[in-house]
Amino acid sequence: MILTCRSCRSHDIKPVISLGFTPLANALLTKEQLDLPEEKFPLDLVFCQDCTLVQIVETVSPEKLFSQYFYTSSLSKTTLDNAKDITTRLIKRLNLDEKSVVVEIGSNDGYLLQNYVDHGIPVWGIEPAKNLADIANKKGIRTTNSFFSEAQAKSFVGNGDSPKGWDIKADVVHANNVLAHVADLHGVVEGIKILLKPDGVAVIETHYVRDLIDGLEFDCIYHEHLCYYSVRALVGLFLSHGLLLIDAERIPIHGGSIRVYFQRLDGPKSFLKSGEKNRTEIIDQEHLFGLTWLTYYESLAERVLKLKKDLLVKIYDLKRKDKNIVVYGASAKSTTLLNFFGIDGDYIDYVVDSTPGKQGHFTPGTHLPIYDPSKLLENMPDYVLLLTWNFSDEILEKEKEYRARGGKFIIPIPELRIV
Ligand code: JHZ
Ligand code: ZN
């Protein structure tokens, strides 16, 4: 549990919303584990009045969260397309070739680095989940199975205690959906700097706190996500390690993210000019809409409670009419929403999810069985509560047959609707 801000160490942190005690969002259970006591942790969101970083108070050990991980990025076309788009753009913008080096922190199953490998560009992935690092290595994407740290970065560039004498300085360091997850925030940002060539670029993607608040995406709050970033908060954090924001853009993935580009303050900063318009615009907007003030965040709790009431009224109404409801997506978000709203086996028959490793398991806290999405067409439940609303377009397209036969989707976020 933290008493001071993870970024600037200020004591001036103020509560935003409390989601009670919830189980770990990806701690899916086997049948045998259903009768055992389940660990739950407090889920409280706070705002730092000094550096504006939004964060949760509890820090669950990274080993507990990430050493074995079911989430594979390759399963979503949206994620693959997003990776292809940015890698193609960077190869062009930075003239990357076989003499370049690209490092990715939290490289999952290699879904992003694959694009560089296809162009003959050397890559190095760093991934804490052994099962995912193994998948990547099998595909020929060189991946080290470990947590990323400052010490590890030093050993990569050859001035640490690595016996192998590695000498890797990167033209690009990617970190997608990593910064939200790291407890050793300063170690990771310093490590990124150490890895960069003087004119190298760090390209960071993370869920955008403005989309979280405006889009009522409260279910993205769970123990894996320690921090929820604005560009303003990132600028302060990175500057404290000698890294300067050079470009920034909003991208639609995961319900709304930011992609920010940093270069070393002591380097040539080749993109400073071309990124000026983008970064000024996004930071000006944050000031205009009040992201630097507690009041901007304070309405969240009330709006979440209203959504809870509206969704429960809808579900009670459907159950009174004897309708079957199932959930789509054994996502981390679904754990937050189902547990905080108290939606369990009394209302929901089962969950479907396309991740093979999740099927056959049960959802944390609510103990719903997880099946392959093909079960929808077999059973034709009346309603599907879509808790991976961030992939609505992709999933509605995949399940058009179910809808054509009369099946309906309940999409709760950003606002409750039935399609
Ligand atoms: P999805 C994860 O959150 C975890 P989650 C993590 N902490 C993070 O930061 C974010 O991602 C970015 C399934 N699915 O992506 C697959 C289908 O069944 O919203 C996944 O289990 N059919 C790293 O877990 C889930 O939905 C499909 O067609 O909340 C999606 O989970 C598609 C597209 C997905 O993230
Ligand atoms: Zn702070």
Side-chain angles (χ1 to χ4, degrees), residues 38-157:
E38 223 175 328
E39 273 189 301
K40 294 193 177 171
F41 301 86
L43 192 52
D44 301 315
L45 195 72
V46 298
F47 170 74
C48 172
Q49 301 222 94
D50 277 325
C51 76
T52 78
L53 182 62
V54 175
Q55 51 208 297
I56 59 163
V57 172
E58 194 71 20
T59 309
V60 176
S61 94
E63 284 74 20
K64 205 172 230 167
L65 291 169
F66 303 118
S67 296
Q68 169 84 7
Y69 207 57
F70 289 109
Y71 184 82
T72 27
S73 302
S74 291
L75 281 178
S76 148
K77 184 173 177 312
T78 314
T79 308
L80 292 175
D81 290 349
N82 179 62
K84 181 133 199 148
D85 175 57
I86 181 60
T87 50
T88 311
R89 278 167 49 195
L90 286 172
I91 291 171
K92 245 198 186 148
R93 196 171 171 183
L94 302 174
N95 292 319
L96 301 177
D97 58 22
E98 66 284 353
K99 290 193 282 313
S100 314
V101 175
V102 177
V103 175
E104 187 185 9
I105 301 165
S107 49
N108 200 275
D109 57 2
Y111 75 104
L112 184 141
L113 291 178
Q114 180 74 57
N115 294 299
Y116 291 110
V117 172
D118 293 346
H119 283 82
I121 299 166
V123 301
W124 204 299
I126 302 157
E127 169 53 53
K130 183 165 183 329
N131 57 322
L132 296 176
D134 286 349
I135 296 176
N137 278 315
K138 271 197 198 115
K139 289 194 279 192
I141 300 161
R142 182 171 41 186
T143 305
T144 296
N145 173 218
S146 76
F147 285 93
F148 181 67
S149 64
E150 186 179 338
Q152 195 196 33
K154 281 184 179 152
S155 74
F156 266 46
V157 299

Side-chain angles (χ1 to χ4, degrees), residues 26 66 69-72 75-79 108 176-178 180-181 207 219-220 222 224-225 254 328-334 352-355 358 373 387-391 394-395 398-399:
N26 274 313
F66 303 118
Y69 207 57
F70 289 109
Y71 184 82
T72 27
L75 281 178
S76 148
K77 184 173 177 312
T78 314
T79 308
N108 200 275
N176 284 3
N177 302 304
V178 167
H181 298 78
H207 189 216
D219 52 350
C220 294
Y222 43 84
E224 284 175 25
H225 292 168
H254 299 304
Y328 205 112
S331 55
K333 308 177 195 45
S334 69
V352 295
D353 192 290
S354 60
T355 317
K358 293 185 180 181
L387 295 185
T388 47
W389 44 263
N390 47 321
F391 292 122
E394 187 174 341
I395 290 170
K398 267 188 204 158
E399 303 302 340

Side-chain angles (χ1 to χ4, degrees), residues 1-66:
M1 179 179 164
I2 54 157
L3 296 174
T4 59
C5 170
R6 286 191 176 82
S7 176
C8 75
R9 321 270 194 229
S10 165
H11 282 87
D12 196 3
I13 48 179
K14 292 277 184 286
V16 171
I17 187 172
S18 175
L19 296 168
F21 277 69
T22 64
L24 299 180
N26 274 313
L28 301 178
L29 304 166
T30 59
K31 201 171 186 349
E32 296 69 44
Q33 287 169 325
L34 286 177
D35 297 328
L36 302 175
E38 223 175 328
E39 273 189 301
K40 294 193 177 171
F41 301 86
L43 192 52
D44 301 315
L45 195 72
V46 298
F47 170 74
C48 172
Q49 301 222 94
D50 277 325
C51 76
T52 78
L53 182 62
V54 175
Q55 51 208 297
I56 59 163
V57 172
E58 194 71 20
T59 309
V60 176
S61 94
E63 284 74 20
K64 205 172 230 167
L65 291 169
F66 303 118

